[in-house]
Amino acid sequence: MDARSERNAVPLAVDLDGTLIATDLLWESLFLLLRRQPLCVLFLPFWLLGGKARLKCEIAARVELDAPGLPYRQELLTQLRKDKADGRHIVLATASPKKFADAIAEHLGVFDEVISTEPGRNMASGMKRDALIEAFGDGGFDYAGNSRADVAVFDAARRAIVVAPDRAAARWHAVNGGELLAAPQPTFRTYVKMLRVHQWLKNSLIFVPLILSHEYFNVPLLILCILAFISFSTAASAIYILNDFFDLGLDRRHPSKRNRPFASGVLSIPFGFASMLALLAISGATALLLPPLFCLVLLAYLVATTAYSLSIKRMLLIDVLTLAGLYTVRILAGSAATMIGVSFWLLAFSVFFFLSLALVKRYVELRSTVLPAGERIAGRGYRAEDQEVIAQAGMASAFSSAMVLALYIQSSAVRELYDMPWLIWPLCPIVLYITIRMWILARRDEMHDDPIVFIISDWRSQLFGLLGALLLFTAGF
């Protein structure tokens, strides 16, 4: 008997969470449950009192798993398929609930047997080891695992396959050996993507009240704006992480979002959850250095963005109106941090301008998604036939923002603030150029689905934005 035949004569038990898939189904199913039935959060402590097995089974009973969409570790899966073709007995041995384990086993078609968590029996660590020894004998099986919970099973296995190990599993492998299947390690760029650092550009709106009041060189006010920017940026990153947790299934079906750190499994959900709490702590601590009114605005922002992630993003038109409002909230945050008042004109311009950007975002999503007639885009309230209405509303909002700006330029407030108000008039065509060009490129399918990413990468938008800022600065002297 050759080495391959000898190996295939020994059953292979494979762990699921972190081993066969680059994620943890308990965390995934928990956020899926909270997205669909938020009030179930009240039952979680009572389920946990009944043991971890009950918690897993109660959650699994209320959600459906998208087995085909999970981030499988392809190197391991390829090996399993080869072993299956050679006639090897393969067992899925997992602490995930039976409902999920059976769905994955049925989808993959490589497992002969499933050992999983059931009510009253959490199939992890020692309990999994005992079940495998009872079935195959001590040292009568090979085992693929990844974590501290798998060390006890490694010790009882004939041979260990250590996949994407955590620290405990890596230490075990260093001492005892076995096959190692490493996973891609997160890079600095991975953490930047997690935080969505490019989205911090939106928070520069906090500086708008300071700039429009010509307090450019007022150092105390500038420091307050910087603190507000830090507070909002860390809070926004925390909410983006939370949003990623709720949208894991949707992101994995998206051509580009599937590469996000949590959807792809490059970063773990527990790490993301800890990061989210740390970011919220930084945001709250920074907010305490600012006026109480700013803390109220920040709280309102957190509530609104969380509501958007949970449900509003799936509501027709309410979603884009909320997005436009969240942009405007950033201006109000700058006002609250510095106690500089903002005018009706500024808020009106902000709502119309950013409503146009929110609508172009939805328009591009619809253009880039192939949908049967009458079917909604995944996770949104829009259908393919809504494209033209969205485009018309977006263009109308763009022109409305320019109209509000024109009326503001002609008002008495401008003559009081600016020595050369005529220099501000070119802002109207600049606004129209930036917004209309976005819509033209969107119709040509040449626009990124995120307007912020587009502006960051588009030198023409940057040039005209810089020109507008220069005109405003010059007009004040």
Side-chain angles (χ1 to χ4, degrees):
M1 181 181 293
D2 60 25
R4 184 173 181 83
S5 298
E6 183 180 352
R7 189 194 68 171
N8 288 335
V10 178
L12 172 62
V14 182
D15 177 50
L16 179 60
D17 296 320
T19 303
L20 180 59
I21 57 175
T23 188
D24 187 309
L25 291 184
L26 175 58
W27 283 95
E28 289 221 9
S29 58
L30 174 60
F31 282 105
L32 184 59
L33 175 67
L34 294 180
R35 192 188 77 183
R36 295 181 177 177
Q37 303 177 43
L39 292 180
C40 280
V41 69
L42 301 176
F43 298 103
L44 293 178
F46 300 100
W47 294 342
L48 190 56
L49 286 175
K52 202 169 183 180
R54 183 189 176 190
L55 174 68
K56 294 177 180 180
C57 293
E58 291 284 359
I59 294 174
R62 290 165 172 79
V63 299
E64 296 300 323
L65 180 70
D66 179 23
L70 292 172
Y72 294 96
R73 298 201 189 275
Q74 292 303 318
E75 184 179 1
L76 177 60
L77 187 55
T78 299
Q79 184 60 53
L80 293 179
R81 286 172 172 154
K82 288 180 181 178
D83 288 351
K84 177 67 175 178
D86 291 340
R88 190 173 195 183
H89 187 83
I90 305 178
V91 180
L92 179 60
T94 174
S96 287
K98 178 175 174 57
K99 178 181 176 181
F100 293 164
D102 287 345
I104 290 171
E106 181 180 356
H107 167 66
L108 294 178
V110 298
F111 296 106
D112 301 288
E113 185 180 348
V114 174
I115 299 175
S116 58
T117 290
E118 298 181 22
R121 187 181 71 164
N122 184 35
M123 193 56 64
S125 194
M127 186 167 288
K128 184 190 292 188
R129 175 200 60 204
D130 294 344
L132 290 172
I133 291 176
E134 182 180 349
F136 307 113
D138 194 359
F141 60 92
D142 292 346
Y143 181 71
N146 77 296
S147 68
R148 177 184 298 275
D150 296 314
V151 168
V153 191
F154 288 149
D155 288 333
R158 185 198 70 135
R159 175 172 165 270
I161 304 172
V162 185
V163 183
D166 64 8
R167 291 182 180 178
R171 284 196 299 268
W172 187 95
H173 176 265
V175 173
N176 299 280
E179 185 178 351
L180 177 66
L181 297 180
Q185 294 300 306
T187 63
F188 177 75
R189 179 177 172 81
T190 306
Y191 299 112
V192 170
K193 288 177 69 175
M194 178 191 75
L195 297 173
R196 308 272 186 92
V197 172
H198 66 278
Q199 297 288 358
W200 292 0
L201 179 63
K202 298 175 183 177
N203 299 322
S204 60
L205 292 170
I206 287 172
F207 292 88
V208 167
L210 178 78
I211 293 170
L212 294 183
S213 64
H214 302 167
E215 297 287 352
Y216 323 109
F217 307 114
N218 189 320
V219 174
L221 291 182
L222 187 60
I223 291 173
L224 291 175
C225 281
I226 292 172
L227 291 174
F229 178 86
I230 293 171
S231 181
F232 250 73
S233 296
T234 49
S237 290
I239 298 301
Y240 281 127
I241 292 173
L242 181 64
N243 181 72
D244 283 350
F245 293 162
F246 287 131
D247 282 355
L248 287 170
L250 295 174
D251 287 349
R252 288 174 185 145
R253 296 197 293 269
H254 192 277
S256 60
K257 294 179 181 179
R258 67 176 62 179
N259 296 318
R260 286 178 172 174
F262 300 109
S264 64
V266 176
L267 293 179
S268 70
I269 297 177
F271 172 80
F273 190 75
S275 300
M276 181 184 72
L277 295 180
L279 288 165
L280 288 174
I282 294 170
S283 176
T286 308
L288 292 176
L289 301 175
L290 296 164
L293 183 58
F294 174 83
C295 296
L296 291 177
V297 175
L298 178 64
L299 180 61
Y301 171 80
L302 289 171
V303 170
T305 50
T306 303
Y308 177 83
S309 296
L310 282 170
S311 62
I312 292 176
K313 65 163 60 177
R314 289 176 285 279
M315 298 180 182
L316 180 69
L317 296 180
I318 302 297
D319 62 334
V320 290
L321 291 169
T322 301
L323 287 176
L326 289 173
Y327 279 104
T328 305
V329 164
R330 291 171 168 89
I331 297 175
L332 294 175
S335 173
T338 58
M339 303 307 291
I340 296 173
V342 292
S343 68
F344 160 80
W345 297 107
L346 174 59
L347 298 180
F349 170 81
S350 171
V351 168
F352 285 119
F353 181 79
F354 291 114
L355 178 59
S356 183
L357 296 192
L359 287 165
V360 79
K361 178 180 176 68
R362 291 292 177 263
Y363 181 82
V364 172
E365 287 178 352
L366 281 171
R367 294 275 294 188
S368 60
T369 305
V370 179
L371 291 172
E375 185 173 325
R376 294 181 180 183
I377 189 171
R380 299 288 186 259
Y382 300 90
R383 306 189 307 201
E385 52 266 39
D386 298 332
Q387 285 188 32
E388 195 55 38
V389 174
I390 291 173
Q392 292 173 6
M395 290 290 291
S397 294
F399 278 94
S400 297
S401 67
M403 177 62 72
V404 170
L405 181 58
L407 292 173
Y408 169 69
I409 293 171
Q410 195 61 26
S411 69
S412 58
V414 169
R415 290 192 291 273
E416 293 174 3
L417 282 172
Y418 297 94
D419 296 328
M420 295 179 285
W422 56 272
L423 279 176
I424 306 178
W425 269 108
L427 289 179
C428 293
I430 287 174
V431 167
L432 289 173
Y433 172 81
I434 292 174
T435 52
I436 294 174
R437 182 167 173 271
M438 279 188 182
W439 279 101
I440 291 174
L441 294 179
R443 285 179 173 271
R444 292 178 180 176
D445 296 324
E446 297 176 3
M447 168 113 177
H448 192 279
D449 63 359
D450 189 334
I452 299 300
V453 173
F454 171 78
I455 290 173
I456 290 174
S457 59
D458 181 58
W459 66 268
R460 293 177 180 84
S461 297
Q462 296 169 7
L463 179 62
F464 276 85
L466 183 61
L467 176 60
L470 183 62
L471 289 171
L472 267 178
F473 183 80
T474 306
F477 285 93

